[in-house]
Structures are given as C-alpha cells and as structure tokens.
Amino acid sequence: MSSTPSAEATPRRSVVVLAAALLVGTGVYGLGFWLLSDRGPDPSAFEPAARIVRQGSQPGDLILLAPAYATRAREYLGDLHPLAVRDPLAEDYEVRRRVWVFALFGAGAPVGRGLQRLGFVPQLRHQSEGISVLRYDRAPRAEVTFDFVDAIAQARVSLERGTAREPCDQWRRTNGQGGAFGRWSCPTDPSWQYVAPEWHRMGDHLRWCLWAHPPHEGHLVIRYPRIALDGAIVGRAGHTLNSSRYARAPVFLDVSWDGVPAQRFTFGLEDHFRPFRVAVPTATTATVSFAVSSPDAGANHFCFVADLRRPAGADR
C-alpha cells in the first residue's frame, strides 16, 4: 500500500525548506560581508599615525576620533583625552585654538568641512595606510579666566532646605571614584551626596565634570566666593547615561551671583551634556552659586562643567 503526502504536510515542508534557504542565504551574506568589507587599517599603522598627533599636540588642543566607533587610537592617545562622539561639530570650539582629527574610512573629510565652516583653517594633512591625520587652526573666540571644575577645592558646599543650611564641609582626598581629585561630602547620604570632579558617561562619551546629585529635598548649593566676573558663565550639564534610563524627573540648575536673581536651566532625561550660558557683569567681584535640585531625586545622576570666559583679546 502506497502513501502520499497529506495536504497539511506539503505546506509545512515548504516552510521548512524556505526557512533553511533563508538561513543558508543569511550565512553566506554574513560571511561575504565579513570577508569583503573594509576592516580598516592594519593595527601596526596606528602607532606611527598617533605619534604625529602626540609630537605636535599642545595644551588645550582638541583631538577628535572619527568615526565615533573607530577608537583604537585611544591605546596611543588616551592620556590626551581624545573625543569619539557621534556629532563632533556640536562640541565647544569657542576657546579652541587647534583641533586634530584622527580619521578612518574617509570620515575626516566631513568633519574637516564642518570645522572650516566654523572658521578653522587646514594646517596639516597626513595620509598613510588608511589613516588620515588632520589639524585645523583658528584664533580662539574666547579665553577662560576661571574654571569651576578645577577650583572645586575653594568652593563652599551645602544642603539647603528653606532657611535651613547643612554644610557639606567634609573634604575628602579622593573623589567618589577613588581618584585623588578631592570631594566635598555632605553629612546626609555621603556615599552619593557629594560634589567632586569625576569621569561620567554623558550620552555617548565619558566627560570630566562635577558630580552633583540633587538632594531628596531642597537644593545642593555650590558657592565660589570672591570670583572676578568677566564676560559669561558658560557650561554644559545633564544626566549620565544611566540616569537618563532610570531617573523620573528633570534636574534644575540655578546659576546666580551676589545681588541678582538666579537663572534656571532645566535638564530633561534626554539632555546628556547640553550647553548653557549666562552673561555676567565685568569688573565685579562676587560669590557665584550653582544650586542643583529636582522634584524627584531618585537615580538623578547629574554632572556639569562651567567656566568664566571673556572675548579673546579683551582688556580686563
């Protein structure tokens, strides 16, 4: 007695054959992509290309790695803090005199065009073994006169709820990450309620910034006494990558100095390192304050940078 495939078995067999064909096709495509795609320069090409940057770099130079995912050059330039960001033209160039671009896969050309639109002029171009090293120069538009991150040791920190003020005056030698950069710890919740310069992932890159977690109630206030105001307070601030996923409310940063109302900046969960700017009077000495707060402080890991800057070449 002979048997024939049932009507149900035939479509089922067709589905199995189709799935197998798709699986084989996907494997062949993946193998071809891996074998035929440009995997970048040979590892031995990075050291001599990085040497050009290292030997020519000066304090204050900005080094960009492009594209953002091609970061092998960090092995040779890591101490110079190169940036590997998805949007390099969104960086702060106002105080920059020179910008280096260490590029693979032809990614240096669009970055260079963007820098030239900002007024930078090409000064160096080196192409070797699939790596482009470029340098662009421009007279800086502004100069920094005071850096609030670097000067954290001279700040005065407190937790303030209404008229009550609790000093955070316990100075520790190390920051919260164990680095020898110091921190001001608060008596309440000192494991996270402190102010210190630290490395934090702000969106797609690690940034050196002041950790300043908002308290459960009131404000965390950072005061810098007797600062010579001149030009503008310029900074960037936002949530760490972890905070943007788990926090539940924005963070408020109030910037003020003696005798003026605070100017408030609001940083939503999607704001990782958004710029802010406040014009200040010239030739005035005052206490500058940064007050951090949030309607819901849970998981609100907040970090910011700020400096005082004036137009380049301006008389004091």
Side-chain angles (χ1 to χ4, degrees), residues 188-200:
T188 303
D189 301 315
S191 62
W192 56 269
Q193 197 74 86
Y194 62 86
V195 177
E198 296 181 341
W199 288 104
H200 286 284

Side-chain angles (χ1 to χ4, degrees), residues 247-281:
R248 298 178 293 271
V251 172
F252 304 131
L253 178 65
D254 298 326
V255 183
S256 64
W257 57 93
D258 295 342
V260 301
Q263 183 164 336
R264 169 163 289 188
F265 298 91
T266 301
F267 297 89
L269 300 182
E270 72 283 359
D271 292 325
H272 295 299
F273 216 52
R274 184 166 60 80
F276 65 90
R277 189 183 193 98
V278 183
V280 299

Side-chain angles (χ1 to χ4, degrees), residues 110-187:
V111 177
R113 288 193 293 269
L115 289 172
Q116 290 180 74
R117 287 194 296 270
L118 295 175
F120 286 89
V121 178
Q123 295 293 330
L124 179 149
R125 178 180 177 84
H126 175 85
Q127 179 76 38
S128 178
E129 300 185 63
I131 299 176
S132 296
V133 177
L134 312 142
R135 199 191 85 216
Y136 297 84
D137 293 11
R138 184 190 76 177
R141 306 292 169 80
E143 58 184 342
V144 173
T145 60
F146 187 85
D147 190 309
F148 292 100
V149 179
D150 290 346
I152 186 59
Q154 69 185 69
R156 301 293 179 264
V157 181
S158 58
L159 291 176
E160 300 184 10
R161 304 173 182 90
T163 59
R165 178 183 296 186
E166 181 181 84
C168 300
D169 54 1
Q170 302 173 40
W171 177 253
R172 308 295 187 190
R173 185 179 62 83
T174 59
N175 61 13
Q177 297 171 331
F181 304 102
R183 62 174 155 167
W184 290 109
S185 291
C186 300

Side-chain angles (χ1 to χ4, degrees), residues 12 40 68 80 114 124 145 166 211 215 247 300:
R12 192 177 302 121
L80 300 179
L124 179 149
T145 60
E166 181 181 84
W211 166 274
N300 246 322

Side-chain angles (χ1 to χ4, degrees), residues 74 199-207 239-242:
R74 283 178 177 162
W199 288 104
H200 286 284
R201 182 164 290 278
M202 310 299 290
D204 63 348
H205 204 275
L206 285 170
R207 305 283 187 170
H239 298 258
T240 67
L241 182 61
N242 181 70

